[in-house]
Amino acid sequence: MNNLTQMTRLEVVVPARDAPAIRELITSAGATGYTSVSGVSGIGHHGQHSGALLFNEYDTLTMLITVLPPANAGELIDAVQQLLSTSSGVMFVSDTYVSRPDYFQ
């Protein structure tokens, strides 16, 4: 596909208090980086979530996005699923294609 390399993309939306644990899982899986978006808002299984709260940032949602080689993704997916089994949050997994695969090795 136009000299692009297939990778696996994970997007995880969790309460801000759980974001450090997800960051640790991402780095432990060998991902070379991630993007963290705090104050995520939307409507989901538990109703509407506001993007920003005035006094308590730990009640907001954080979305973490990472891209890694498919061979490394399974371990991370399993670890995130285990964490989400005891807390709230969602994970999205998709195939993606990158133009600079060396950035993700």
Side-chain angles (χ1 to χ4, degrees):
M1 176 189 280
N2 299 327
N3 297 322
L4 298 177
T5 302
Q6 183 176 356
M7 295 281 176
T8 301
R9 176 180 169 140
L10 275 80
E11 299 172 61
V12 183
V13 180
V14 292
R17 68 181 169 275
D18 293 333
I22 298 294
R23 287 186 193 102
E24 177 62 31
L25 293 175
I26 289 170
T27 55
S28 295
T32 58
Y34 59 84
T35 298
S36 181
V37 182
S38 59
V40 177
S41 64
I43 298 175
H45 182 73
H46 293 288
Q48 185 169 354
H49 292 277
S50 176
L53 299 175
L54 292 176
F55 303 109
N56 185 353
E57 67 183 31
Y58 289 105
D59 286 337
T60 64
L61 295 177
T62 298
M63 179 170 55
L64 294 115
I65 305 162
T66 192
V67 173
L68 65 166
N72 298 359
E75 177 184 327
L76 178 56
I77 292 167
D78 291 345
V80 172
Q81 282 181 310
Q82 184 175 4
L83 186 130
L84 293 178
S85 71
T86 60
S87 65
S88 62
V90 294
M91 173 176 56
F92 305 97
V93 179
S94 58
D95 291 334
T96 193
Y97 295 85
V98 300
S99 61
R100 297 179 172 175
D102 50 309
Y103 283 24
F104 303 96
Q105 301 294 330

